[in-house]
Amino acid sequence: MAQQTERVPTIEMREVDETQRCCKFVLRDTDPHVANALRRACIAEVPTIAIDLVNMEINTTVLNDEFIAHRLGLIPLISYKA
Protein backbone atom coordinates (compact mmCIF):
# COMPACT_ATOMS: atom_id res chain seq x y z
CA MET A 1 0.00 0.00 0.00
CA ALA A 2 1.38 3.42 -0.94
CA GLN A 3 2.08 5.79 1.91
CA GLN A 4 0.44 9.20 1.58
CA THR A 5 2.40 12.22 2.69
CA GLU A 6 0.47 14.96 4.42
CA ARG A 7 0.55 18.32 2.70
CA VAL A 8 1.03 21.28 4.99
CA PRO A 9 -0.31 24.52 3.49
CA THR A 10 1.91 27.58 3.70
CA ILE A 11 0.88 31.20 3.30
CA GLU A 12 3.41 33.80 2.20
CA MET A 13 2.30 37.41 2.74
CA ARG A 14 3.39 39.59 -0.18
CA GLU A 15 1.83 42.99 0.57
CA VAL A 16 -0.24 44.41 3.39
CA ASP A 17 -1.96 47.77 2.88
CA GLU A 18 -3.72 48.81 6.08
CA THR A 19 -5.08 52.05 4.59
CA GLN A 20 -6.95 50.13 1.85
CA ARG A 21 -7.58 47.16 4.18
CA CYS A 22 -6.20 44.65 1.69
CA CYS A 23 -3.34 42.20 1.38
CA LYS A 24 -1.75 39.97 -1.23
CA PHE A 25 -0.60 36.47 -0.35
CA VAL A 26 0.52 33.22 -1.94
CA LEU A 27 -1.00 29.93 -0.78
CA ARG A 28 1.18 26.88 -1.46
CA ASP A 29 1.14 23.12 -0.93
CA THR A 30 -2.60 22.74 -0.58
CA ASP A 31 -5.49 21.16 -2.41
CA PRO A 32 -7.69 23.26 -4.71
CA HIS A 33 -10.76 22.68 -2.53
CA VAL A 34 -8.97 24.26 0.46
CA ALA A 35 -7.93 27.27 -1.63
CA ASN A 36 -11.50 27.59 -2.94
CA ALA A 37 -12.91 27.45 0.60
CA LEU A 38 -10.54 30.24 1.65
CA ARG A 39 -11.54 32.29 -1.42
CA ARG A 40 -15.25 31.84 -0.62
CA ALA A 41 -14.73 32.83 3.02
CA CYS A 42 -12.91 36.01 1.96
CA ILE A 43 -15.62 36.95 -0.54
CA ALA A 44 -18.37 36.36 2.04
CA GLU A 45 -16.80 38.93 4.37
CA VAL A 46 -16.79 41.73 1.77
CA PRO A 47 -19.82 44.02 2.13
CA THR A 48 -21.65 44.52 -1.15
CA ILE A 49 -24.32 46.85 -2.46
CA ALA A 50 -26.33 46.55 -5.65
CA ILE A 51 -29.19 48.10 -7.56
CA ASP A 52 -32.25 46.16 -6.48
CA LEU A 53 -35.32 47.96 -7.81
CA VAL A 54 -35.57 49.79 -11.13
CA ASN A 55 -38.63 51.80 -12.13
CA MET A 56 -38.78 52.65 -15.85
CA GLU A 57 -40.83 55.72 -16.75
CA ILE A 58 -40.47 55.55 -20.55
CA ASN A 59 -38.29 53.11 -22.45
CA THR A 60 -37.75 54.09 -26.08
CA THR A 61 -34.96 51.58 -26.71
CA VAL A 62 -35.22 48.18 -28.35
CA LEU A 63 -34.14 46.55 -25.07
CA ASN A 64 -36.66 45.12 -22.61
CA ASP A 65 -37.09 46.84 -19.24
CA GLU A 66 -36.08 43.65 -17.44
CA PHE A 67 -32.89 43.36 -19.48
CA ILE A 68 -31.88 46.94 -18.65
CA ALA A 69 -32.70 46.42 -14.96
CA HIS A 70 -30.62 43.23 -14.93
CA ARG A 71 -27.67 45.00 -16.56
CA LEU A 72 -27.89 47.85 -14.04
CA GLY A 73 -27.72 45.27 -11.25
CA LEU A 74 -24.43 43.95 -12.66
CA ILE A 75 -22.64 47.31 -12.31
CA PRO A 76 -20.09 47.12 -9.49
CA LEU A 77 -20.77 49.88 -6.97
CA ILE A 78 -18.30 51.28 -4.47
CA SER A 79 -19.41 52.65 -1.12
CA TYR A 80 -17.18 53.62 1.76
CA LYS A 81 -20.15 53.42 4.14
CA ALA A 82 -21.15 49.82 3.34
Side-chain angles (χ1 to χ4, degrees):
M1 191 192 272
Q3 184 179 15
Q4 293 182 352
T5 59
E6 188 174 322
R7 298 171 74 178
V8 178
T10 58
I11 297 177
E12 175 188 343
M13 298 300 288
R14 292 279 173 103
E15 293 179 31
V16 176
D17 187 354
E18 292 182 16
T19 59
Q20 295 288 326
R21 295 176 50 182
C22 67
C23 68
K24 292 183 181 181
F25 62 91
V26 177
L27 180 64
R28 293 191 176 149
D29 298 327
T30 188
D31 295 324
H33 65 272
V34 174
N36 190 40
L38 179 62
R39 179 189 64 83
R40 288 170 150 270
C42 291
I43 289 173
E45 293 298 319
V46 175
T48 58
I49 58 174
I51 297 172
D52 187 31
L53 181 63
V54 177
N55 187 10
M56 297 279 187
E57 296 272 334
I58 299 173
N59 182 5
T60 60
T61 68
V62 296
L63 303 174
N64 294 337
D65 293 350
E66 294 82 12
F67 179 78
I68 295 172
H70 173 69
R71 298 293 293 182
L72 287 172
L74 295 176
I75 296 172
L77 302 174
I78 297 173
S79 172
Y80 296 105
K81 294 182 180 182

